[in-house]
């Protein structure tokens, strides 16, 4: 008797964590998603003007206030310098530009180091993929001594696209003790606000500064900049594209919870878990939704809807149930009606496609790759097909 009482807390802890991570489709609770085309006050949205004037800004504020935090816009100055250029990079196939983007505010500054390869075979400005790199910097090695599938730069360049990357640590170290040692030094007021920007917001903010630079680079077609992110970087790429309509399209690879997957399904990673493990990613208000998904005034289909009518590509990997492949597909499907307001017809079928049956066509693209939580040449090859479809 005594022994079982002693073990009771252990059993309870085990039960709580099992509840926090459901992988069983039959245990997905019944849920009702917030209506993307109905305002908080109950007004139906019937056309794109109403969407753009009323509902879109309302949803953007809801995400800002409850999840990702504010996106500070004021700055004192921004300076770009090409610190090195190699016209014979990638065995002569590309021009490498290493660009320092320096932003100044209130006597503080951040420096974003952008690595950019531009195909030498080009007849004018080229479209570009920009990766928000959340993995070690060796994945985006400018010298190309190290090559990683995570950033299949040669393949992208050979396909006629420029490819760029910057590292999240330039904006906010991915560390709950140190995340404020970057952009947030310029915006200390964000730290004391419950809807203040945190790390994911800072990474998305960085993507917009990269966009500022790309608009000045004559070799780049700034009307076709595709922001790409994997996992936590994919949460940031979605937020960047939702916020900043200069991005022509968004790729969100295996982004899962608080990325492209519906929170209310409570499948795989849940809000409590993400907020506990990574308290520095989302704003303070988001913690109110721990074990309380149904109280959120939004769900992730609405984040995708903010990107409309611009193309979006969400992906999963078959063994990465943590990121909820089905919930990701459903989020895309539930965003379709906003694309519809623009006369953009999604060609996604009712049910998710089989593993390794990519649907890489704009405006809404999806695939579930066989394998693990990662971004590979298979994924990138499909992103190229996607980028050629619009
Ligand atoms: C996991 C986290 C996910 C995802 C992933 C990653 O630990 O739970 O939300 O972001 O990390 O970034 O690879």
């Amino acid at each position: 008797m005594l022994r079982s009482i002693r073990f009771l807390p252990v059993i309870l802890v085990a039960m709580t964590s099992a509840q926090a991570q459901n992988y069983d489709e039959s245990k997905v609770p019944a849920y009702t998603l917030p209506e993307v085309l109905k305002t908080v006050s109950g007004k139906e949205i019937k056309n794109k003007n109403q969407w753009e004037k009323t509902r879109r800004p309302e949803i953007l504020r809801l995400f800002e206030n409850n999840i990702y935090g504010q996106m500070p816009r004021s700055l004192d100055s921004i300076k770009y310098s090409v610190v090195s250029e190699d016209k014979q990079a990638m065995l002569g196939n590309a021009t490498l530009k290493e660009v320092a983007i320096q932003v100044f505010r209130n006597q503080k500054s951040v420096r974003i180091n952008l690595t950019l390869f531009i195909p030498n075979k080009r007849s004018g400005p080229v479209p570009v993929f920009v990766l928000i790199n959340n993995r070690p910097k060796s994945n985006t090695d400018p010298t190309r001594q190290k090559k990683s599938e995570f950033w299949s730069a040669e393949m992208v360049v050979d396909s006629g696209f420029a490819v760029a990357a910057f590292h999240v640590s330039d904006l906010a170290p991915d560390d709950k003790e140190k995340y404020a040692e970057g952009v947030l030094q310029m915006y200390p007021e964000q730290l004391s606000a419950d809807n203040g920007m945190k790390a994911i917001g800072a990474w998305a903010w960085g993507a917009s500064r990269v966009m500022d630079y790309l608009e000045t680079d004559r070799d780049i077609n700034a009307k076709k900049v595709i922001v790409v992110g994997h996992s936590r970087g994919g949460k940031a790429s979605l937020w960047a594209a939702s916020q900043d309509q200069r991005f022509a399209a968004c790729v969100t690879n295996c982004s899962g919870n608080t990325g492209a997957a519906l929170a209310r399904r409570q499948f795989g990673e849940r809000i409590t878990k993400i907020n506990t493990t990574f308290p520095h990613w989302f704003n303070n208000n988001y913690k109110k939704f721990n074990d309380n998904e149904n109280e959120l005034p939004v769900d992730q289909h609405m984040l995708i809807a903010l990107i409309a009518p611009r193309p979006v590509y969400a992906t999963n990997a078959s063994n990465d149930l943590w990121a909820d492949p089905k919930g990701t597909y459903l989020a895309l499907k539930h965003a379709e009606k906003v694309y519809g307001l623009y006369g953009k017809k999604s060609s996604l079928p009712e049910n998710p496609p089989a593993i390794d049956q990519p649907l890489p066509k704009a405006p809404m693209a999806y695939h579930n790759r066989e394998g693990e939580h990662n971004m590979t040449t298979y994924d990138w090859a499909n992103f190229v097909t996607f980028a050629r479809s619009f």
Side-chain angles (χ1 to χ4, degrees), residues 1 7 22 24 26-27 39 42 52 64 88 99 107 145 155 157 173 200 208 235 242 245 273 281 360 370 386-387:
M1 181 62 193
F7 283 106
N22 173 39
D24 179 350
S26 73
K27 296 215 172 81
T39 65
E52 284 174 8
E64 223 173 72
Q88 294 302 319
V99 186
Q107 268 78 54
Q145 274 161 8
M155 191 273 293
V157 163
I200 299 255
S208 286
K235 305 178 208 293
S242 308
Q245 294 178 286
K273 181 75 180 164
W281 281 1
E370 168 81 56
F386 167 68

Side-chain angles (χ1 to χ4, degrees), residues 59-327:
I59 295 177
L60 203 48
R61 289 292 94 75
L62 291 172
F63 276 109
E64 223 173 72
N65 287 332
N66 294 292
I67 304 184
Y68 302 100
Q70 301 171 55
M71 191 59 86
R73 307 216 178 260
S74 73
L75 46 88
D76 295 338
S77 62
I78 182 162
K79 197 172 105 195
Y80 318 109
S81 34
V82 178
V83 288
S84 81
E85 184 164 358
D86 175 4
K87 293 197 153 84
Q88 294 302 319
M90 289 185 173
L91 307 172
N93 289 329
T95 295
L96 164 65
K97 291 185 194 176
E98 293 188 84
V99 186
I101 301 166
Q102 280 173 285
V103 187
F104 302 86
R105 189 194 184 226
N106 286 350
Q107 268 78 54
K108 303 269 188 213
S109 69
V110 291
R111 174 185 163 136
I112 307 168
N113 300 295
L114 183 73
T115 300
L116 168 63
F117 286 100
I118 304 163
N120 284 338
K121 218 191 275 168
R122 63 180 190 273
S123 50
V126 284
V128 60
F129 289 93
V130 178
L131 173 69
I132 302 173
N133 182 22
N134 59 295
R135 288 211 174 161
K137 287 184 183 165
S138 56
N139 283 285
T140 61
D141 178 14
T143 71
R144 305 316 288 153
Q145 274 161 8
K146 286 217 178 90
K147 294 195 181 76
S148 155
E149 287 204 25
F150 190 72
W151 193 57
S152 298
E154 278 74 8
M155 191 273 293
V156 174
V157 163
D158 288 347
S159 309
F161 292 82
V163 67
F166 67 95
H167 199 264
V168 294
S169 60
D170 288 352
L171 286 314
D174 193 359
D175 180 318
K176 63 174 182 249
E177 309 297 338
K178 300 202 181 110
Y179 74 96
E181 296 172 13
V183 181
L184 283 158
Q185 296 201 316
M186 296 194 300
Y187 302 103
E189 63 280 9
Q190 294 291 319
L191 290 168
S192 51
D194 284 338
N195 67 348
M197 177 169 84
K198 293 230 185 187
I200 299 255
W203 305 342
W205 183 94
S208 286
R209 303 295 70 80
V210 168
M211 183 75 214
D212 294 343
Y213 163 73
L214 292 170
E215 287 186 315
T216 70
D217 188 323
R218 295 223 189 121
D219 294 327
I220 297 297
N221 174 2
K223 295 266 179 297
K224 199 161 177 183
V225 178
I226 302 157
V227 62
V228 181
H230 163 72
S231 205
R232 62 198 74 186
K235 305 178 208 293
S237 71
L238 274 173
W239 183 231
S242 308
Q243 278 288 325
D244 189 337
Q245 294 178 286
R246 293 174 299 169
F247 289 111
C250 175
V251 173
T252 182
N253 192 80
C254 299
S255 59
N257 187 276
T258 326
L262 293 177
R264 279 170 175 74
R265 278 173 43 82
Q266 305 177 17
F267 187 98
E269 186 169 29
R270 286 187 59 185
I271 293 174
T272 308
K273 181 75 180 164
I274 209 165
N275 276 337
T276 312
T277 321
F278 307 104
H280 59 293
W281 281 1
F282 308 106
N283 69 25
N284 296 346
N285 286 333
Y286 198 38
K287 278 69 179 177
K288 291 185 206 149
F289 302 98
N290 287 352
D291 288 319
N292 200 12
E293 282 86 351
N294 289 308
E295 287 307 310
L296 266 170
V298 290
D299 210 314
Q300 299 305 111
H301 63 305
M302 293 157 78
L303 187 63
I304 296 171
L306 291 177
I307 298 173
R310 294 163 294 149
V312 63
Y313 196 157
T315 74
N316 289 107
S318 61
N319 296 335
D320 183 20
L321 295 184
W322 185 241
D324 190 11
K326 183 168 176 193

